[in-house]
Amino acid sequence: MADFERRSNGPRGGGGVRKKRYRDDDDFDRRPQRRRYEEPLVVKVRRQLLTIAESAARRPEDDAKSIAKTVAEHYDDEEIKKTFIDLTLDLIVEQPLKIPFLATIALVANGYKPELVAELLKETGENLQRYIDLGGWREVKLLLRFLGCLQSIFEGEGVFAILEELFARAVDLQTTSSEDLLGLELVKVILFTIPYIMASSVTGFEPQASALLEKTDIIASTPHTLVDLVNPFAIKNSSEQTVESVIGLLQRQLQDESTRGWELTCIPRPWKVMQEETAADEPAPAGPGPKYSFPDIKVPSPVPNGPRALFPEVYLSVYANQEMETVPPTSDISSSLLRDALVDTINILDYNRIAAAKFLIDVDCYFSHNIFVKRATPFDKLRDIAGDRSTWKPEDVAVDAVFSQLFQLPTPHHKLVYHHSVLTECCKIAPAAIAPSLGRAIRFLYGSLETIDLDLGHRFLDWFAHHLSNFGFTWKWSEWIGDLDLPEVHPKMAFIIGALDKEIRLSFAQRIRGTLPDPYHHLITEGKEKDTPDFKYASDATPYSKEGKEIMQLIRKKAIDEEIQPLIDAIEEQAKSLGVEDPMLPSTDAFVTSICFVGSKSLSHVLSCIERNKERLLAIGPKSASARRQIITSTMEYWADQPGIAINIIDKLLNYTILTPLSVIEWALIDNLAAGTILAKTHIYEMVSATVGKVTNRLRQIVAARTQPGLYEPQLSVLNETLTREQADMRSLFKLIEDTIISVASGSNDGMMERGDSSGTLPEDEVIRQWGQRWLRTFRRKAAVEESFIAEAMATAAPIGTMAPAVSEDPSASTTTMTDAPDAPADGDLDVADVDGTL
């Protein structure tokens, strides 16, 4: 107790002993004191740099001033100086949203300690040169953006000098080939740098910007021949939104902005705020500081391509044509600048989806505050915003950027699951803001299913099912009840069926049925609710049922091949007596169906069955091509109610080479084309696409082996022969797909002509033709991408006939090497020299 009282034992109120109070505990706290911890200055600077502009509760201008002053005052501390410079350069290429604020720190520091800024600019120039030499054009763009924000501290033309040099290289590339893409990439770097120069604190460079825009207009405004190939809309429709190339759109926006005096309302200008304010409680720096020569940067010729494949980019928004604008319209340059910064953030932070999602949620912290409405503002409340105030929702801008990468053609920069997980993390961080935004995006994409590219439609399907699985499979399915009357070949009905199938794969049928309104229940058939499909040979009415049941029992008992062979022979003998053209078909069906039944418990079970019977399965194909395709038929029929499991098994059979890629394509697009209706089945596209992917991935591995440095004869000839053979096989595969689908796309398929009244004009016929057109476009694009990849990779490969350099036999060279080598104890091992003769 804090106070202790001693009372007398006398009567109450009597003249007892006076109270005595002890205050020892009040005067002295005997509890152990925690040692005071003072954060080291270098840690404080690092923390402030890493968190600058991340909180709306703190002004980034105050942090910028604090960091600049601290580092300038402790310039002699090598650890603080090195931490500041290294971390600033890392943040520029890793967190591009912070570039204007990092530039502000440098501008302030220039007034306090010019030597610090000079060293920072020197390091920036070295990094910029290194990335140019490597072809890292994204990093080049970000470093130039940082330097563009610092245009006011450069002498003469500043950043415009390097932009002019980049444009000269772009002209050279475009002159060499009109299909060049690297030149377009250089022009994109130029165009994304100009607005940051014009938004900096410098003035008087309007003529240079206008002159540069006049030059880039020739390249940027000319549509590239491959733009149509990456158009997200495959079917022309009068109601579809128009999509423009990113570079053409940006060129037009910059030209419009130049006529408005370079307002650039979205770019934050913390340096302007600091210039307008005067600090009353601390002395201002001596002045704006000295000016510097721009770093000496050389752009090599020819310009390196870099590690990333280049393709034209188009601007896609999933919030287009809404009643209220929730994202910047394409007429506003903010649409391109916001998208570019967010896309770079998404692609750079692929190693940390949570950090990427956090930056997306906080997008309004990194741009001008007056361009966004408050986070999580309901869509209906946007109508109440008075005057000319912006109605752009920060969460919509963020979600739009993620979908632009998820739906990038021909392929996104990262695996699709990364973009799925970023959206999931965004939902977890800010559910009230992101969930309604995703709902509107889903409705836009669902409404575009009839015109959207086939590949993108399936990406949407995969993401939709995956996203629902993370949030209890809840969705407003009642909105789509009216579409349940559509034919199964209609894209919307095909999407609903495919989505439910994907959900069942991610959960189980009974649970999914419980999340659906009653009108959907007929889509969850009884067969889908069975864990193990029925074994058709269990019925005596099935032909060859006796032998089928015995084969199943033998496989279950892990019998050897010699025990199964008599039953196979018996089935084939019966088939011959019944006049079956290929008796291997019924025997293969009984054998494969038995494997599927015995292995139906799990994927590991069926793989074990396949492993044990691999030799027999491998022997089927060489004997009969139709029997090899019967393996696929039997697998698909057994798992007819759960096709996802079937195509997974087929994928594994391809790995075992029991099936060939050609046999899978023939089964899907020749044996089971069904007048083109099979093209509407989502699992069929999944199977065909995965099969083509195996072929192209193998070819890319061979190309990588063929193009590695240090290869000589005879390895070059062996690899070249393998590459030629595999490339021919790939071309045959794509040709088979095209030859089969082109008749469906044109409406000349025999099966289509025989449907109904043979007129080919049934209501479903046009839908089927559109499926054919979308399939044709998608696989033509895949073929073109692979051919382009091979041609580009082989352009720098060592030519056939290159021999290894001769090893010198000069005895004096050998003696010199031994003399110069350091002494080492003998260990009985020989030093092995590399091919060039050096140790």
Side-chain angles (χ1 to χ4, degrees):
M1 289 187 296
D3 296 329
F4 176 77
E5 300 181 17
R6 179 174 295 171
R7 300 180 181 274
S8 67
N9 293 328
R12 209 168 192 186
V17 181
R18 186 181 178 184
K19 297 179 184 178
K20 187 175 180 181
R21 299 174 62 88
Y22 292 89
R23 298 179 50 85
D24 290 355
D25 290 340
D26 287 341
D27 296 335
F28 180 72
D29 189 353
R30 289 186 171 84
R31 291 176 300 175
Q33 295 290 317
R34 180 178 295 177
R35 295 181 62 185
R36 295 183 63 184
Y37 172 76
E38 291 186 5
E39 186 178 45
L41 202 56
V42 66
V43 175
K44 179 183 177 182
V45 170
R46 180 179 179 82
R47 175 175 50 78
Q48 287 182 312
L49 262 176
L50 287 172
T51 59
I52 190 168
E54 289 187 0
S55 173
R58 289 180 57 84
R59 293 196 337 144
E61 294 85 1
D62 296 337
D63 285 340
K65 185 183 297 183
S66 172
I67 295 169
K69 188 176 180 182
T70 301
V71 178
E73 289 176 351
H74 297 82
Y75 176 75
D76 294 334
D77 189 322
E78 283 297 325
E79 184 180 12
I80 292 178
K81 181 176 67 175
K82 188 175 188 308
T83 297
F84 169 72
I85 293 175
D86 292 348
L87 189 54
T88 298
L89 294 174
D90 289 342
L91 288 173
I92 290 170
V93 295
E94 292 179 10
Q95 298 181 16
L97 290 167
K98 297 180 179 179
I99 288 177
F101 307 99
L102 299 172
T104 302
I105 299 173
L107 289 171
V108 176
N110 195 43
Y112 286 114
K113 198 71 176 177
E115 296 90 340
L116 174 65
V117 178
E119 196 165 344
L120 175 62
L121 292 177
K122 177 177 175 292
E123 295 278 352
T124 305
E126 292 174 357
N127 281 12
L128 179 59
Q129 184 67 67
R130 184 171 70 254
Y131 282 119
I132 289 176
D133 294 340
L134 294 173
W137 299 112
R138 181 179 65 199
E139 290 76 11
V140 169
K141 177 184 66 176
L142 298 177
L143 287 166
L144 285 176
R145 179 174 305 171
F146 174 70
L147 295 174
C149 293
L150 299 177
Q151 176 74 0
S152 61
I153 66 173
F154 291 118
E155 299 172 346
E157 296 291 308
V159 185
F160 279 105
I162 185 69
L163 297 186
E164 290 285 357
E165 193 171 353
L166 287 173
F167 178 74
R169 296 293 182 274
V171 171
D172 294 341
L173 291 165
Q174 288 285 298
T175 304
T176 305
S177 172
S178 60
E179 296 185 359
D180 170 72
L181 286 164
L182 182 54
L184 288 181
E185 188 71 12
L186 297 182
V187 171
K188 188 175 81 169
V189 170
I190 295 169
L191 295 181
F192 273 116
T193 304
I194 290 175
Y196 288 90
I197 298 175
M198 303 312 294
S200 69
S201 57
V202 75
T203 56
F205 282 92
E206 289 79 6
Q208 289 89 332
S210 298
L212 193 53
L213 284 176
E214 288 181 12
K215 296 176 183 178
T216 58
D217 185 53
I218 303 171
I219 297 176
S221 299
T222 304
H224 195 275
T225 54
L226 296 180
V227 166
D228 287 339
L229 202 64
V230 297
N231 190 327
F233 296 97
I235 306 297
K236 300 299 180 184
N237 190 316
S238 58
S239 62
E240 91 179 40
Q241 65 162 325
T242 57
V243 292
E244 299 181 69
S245 69
V246 168
I247 187 171
L249 177 63
L250 183 58
Q251 173 74 28
R252 176 170 58 81
Q253 290 171 340
L254 285 170
Q255 289 172 334
D256 293 344
E257 198 68 22
S258 66
T259 63
R260 292 194 290 267
W262 299 100
E263 295 176 354
L264 299 166
T265 55
C266 72
I267 297 180
R269 294 172 172 85
W271 48 80
K272 184 178 180 181
V273 175
M274 298 185 68
Q275 287 174 352
E276 294 173 351
E277 295 178 350
T278 55
D281 56 343
E282 57 181 85
K291 290 183 179 291
Y292 307 87
S293 299
F294 191 80
D296 185 22
I297 305 296
K298 303 295 182 185
V299 182
S301 181
V303 181
N305 262 326
R308 303 184 187 95
L310 299 176
F311 291 95
E313 296 178 50
V314 296
Y315 188 92
L316 170 67
S317 174
V318 295
Y319 298 109
N321 304 323
Q322 291 185 125
E323 180 186 353
M324 299 291 297
E325 279 184 359
T326 61
V327 296
T330 53
S331 59
D332 193 318
I333 195 172
S334 300
S335 61
S336 295
L337 297 180
L338 291 171
R339 173 70 62 82
D340 178 65
L342 289 175
V343 162
D344 284 343
T345 300
I346 293 166
N347 288 327
I348 290 168
L349 294 176
D350 62 295
Y351 56 87
N352 191 334
R353 67 184 189 278
I354 297 175
K358 184 69 169 63
F359 280 116
L360 292 176
I361 294 299
D362 295 338
V363 61
D364 51 346
C365 293
Y366 304 103
F367 293 93
S368 299
H369 299 299
N370 58 344
I371 66 169
F372 292 113
V373 297
K374 188 179 178 181
R375 296 183 199 176
T377 300
F379 185 80
D380 295 338
K381 298 293 184 182
L382 296 179
R383 299 184 183 88
D384 301 335
I385 296 178
D388 297 331
R389 285 184 55 199
S390 166
T391 56
W392 303 343
K393 291 170 63 65
E395 54 269 21
D396 280 22
V397 172
V399 169
D400 212 18
V402 180
F403 275 114
S404 75
Q405 295 307 288
L406 181 60
F407 293 150
Q408 188 177 57
L409 289 174
T411 54
H413 285 292
H414 302 292
K415 291 184 177 181
L416 297 174
V417 70
Y418 166 63
H419 301 293
H420 295 190
S421 61
V422 168
L423 289 172
T424 298
E425 293 300 331
C426 286
C427 255
K428 291 179 179 178
I429 294 171
I434 298 297
S437 293
L438 287 178
R440 279 181 284 111
I442 290 169
R443 292 178 183 93
F444 169 83
L445 292 167
Y446 180 79
S448 304
L449 285 173
E450 296 176 57
T451 59
I452 202 169
D453 183 84
L454 179 69
D455 195 11
L456 300 189
H458 283 271
R459 291 188 205 174
F460 170 44
L461 172 65
D462 288 341
W463 168 77
F464 178 75
H466 185 191
H467 188 75
L468 294 191
S469 72
N470 287 318
F471 297 97
F473 296 99
T474 54
W475 170 247
K476 295 180 180 178
W477 291 100
S478 55
E479 295 181 5
W480 299 343
I481 287 177
D483 294 332
L484 296 178
D485 296 329
L486 295 170
E488 288 192 3
V489 295
H490 193 281
K492 290 183 177 179
M493 191 61 192
F495 176 86
I496 292 172
I497 294 172
L500 294 180
D501 175 58
K502 293 272 187 181
E503 288 189 6
I504 291 172
R505 294 192 217 176
L506 295 168
S507 181
F508 51 92
Q510 293 90 338
R511 183 185 178 191
I512 301 305
R513 175 191 283 271
T515 65
L516 298 171
D518 291 343
Y520 287 88
H521 287 179
H522 72 280
L523 298 175
I524 310 293
T525 61
E526 183 181 351
K528 292 182 182 295
E529 298 185 1
K530 292 181 179 179
D531 292 333
T532 301
D534 296 332
F535 183 55
K536 70 178 183 180
Y537 291 101
S539 171
D540 293 337
T542 305
Y544 321 108
S545 63
K546 178 176 177 296
E547 291 80 5
K549 284 184 282 189
E550 292 181 14
I551 290 174
M552 183 269 292
Q553 292 295 338
L554 289 174
I555 291 175
R556 177 172 282 170
K557 295 175 182 177
K558 304 178 183 179
I560 59 175
D561 191 54
E562 287 74 12
E563 296 179 61
I564 299 174
Q565 186 61 45
L567 296 170
I568 299 293
D569 294 338
I571 293 176
E572 292 181 358
E573 289 296 328
Q574 289 184 51
K576 288 178 184 177
S577 65
L578 295 173
V580 176
E581 185 176 347
D582 188 347
M584 284 190 69
L585 296 183
S587 65
T588 301
D589 181 52
F591 183 60
V592 174
T593 303
S594 298
I595 288 176
C596 288
F597 177 72
V598 174
S600 60
K601 287 184 178 180
S602 67
L603 182 61
S604 60
H605 279 76
V606 74
L607 290 180
S608 297
C609 291
I610 292 171
E611 282 279 2
R612 287 194 298 271
N613 298 279
K614 185 170 69 172
E615 296 305 321
R616 173 171 291 282
L617 290 168
L618 284 169
I620 291 174
K623 294 179 183 177
S624 169
S626 56
R628 175 183 276 154
R629 297 201 295 275
Q630 179 62 46
I631 296 174
I632 307 174
T633 303
S634 299
T635 305
M636 295 298 293
E637 286 180 352
Y638 181 77
W639 291 106
D641 290 309
Q642 299 182 49
I645 297 177
I647 61 177
N648 200 359
I649 294 173
I650 289 167
D651 183 77
K652 299 302 182 284
L653 292 172
L654 278 167
N655 292 343
Y656 284 115
T657 67
I658 293 167
L659 299 176
T660 63
L662 200 63
S663 65
V664 175
I665 304 302
E666 288 174 342
W667 178 89
L669 302 182
I670 296 178
D671 298 350
N672 296 279
L673 188 59
T677 57
I678 198 172
L679 302 182
K681 297 183 182 298
T682 56
H683 65 274
I684 295 298
Y685 173 79
E686 188 177 346
M687 180 171 69
V688 172
S689 181
T691 302
V692 170
K694 284 185 179 293
V695 174
T696 56
N697 286 341
R698 171 171 167 74
L699 196 61
R700 287 185 177 237
Q701 291 171 359
I702 296 171
V703 169
R706 171 65 179 81
T707 56
Q708 62 182 324
L711 279 183
Y712 307 105
E713 293 292 354
Q715 292 95 334
L716 284 176
S717 295
V718 173
L719 284 170
N720 211 68
E721 182 182 346
T722 305
L723 177 60
T724 303
R725 183 177 64 253
E726 294 291 336
Q727 191 173 9
D729 291 344
M730 181 191 74
R731 288 171 175 166
S732 299
L733 196 71
F734 278 117
K735 187 175 187 304
L736 174 63
I737 294 173
E738 176 157 351
D739 291 346
T740 308
I741 296 175
I742 199 167
S743 61
V744 179
S746 63
S748 60
N749 179 267
D750 292 340
M752 291 180 67
M753 298 302 294
E754 294 171 2
R755 295 172 75 244
D757 57 1
S758 302
S759 65
T761 58
L762 291 177
E764 297 178 11
D765 289 343
E766 179 59 29
V767 177
I768 295 173
R769 279 193 289 270
Q770 289 182 356
W771 276 111
Q773 293 166 15
R774 295 163 74 196
W775 272 69
L776 197 60
R777 181 177 187 267
T778 296
F779 285 98
R780 279 177 174 172
R781 180 175 61 242
K782 290 179 183 289
V785 167
E786 296 308 317
E787 292 290 351
S788 173
F789 169 79
I790 295 170
E792 185 177 333
M794 293 301 294
T796 56
I800 294 294
T802 303
M803 304 301 294
V807 179
S808 174
E809 297 182 359
D810 184 2
S812 61
S814 175
T815 304
T816 303
T817 303
M818 294 298 293
T819 304
D820 293 344
D823 294 335
D827 58 3
D829 292 334
L830 295 177
D831 291 327
V832 181
D834 292 334
V835 291
D836 60 356
T838 59
L839 290 175

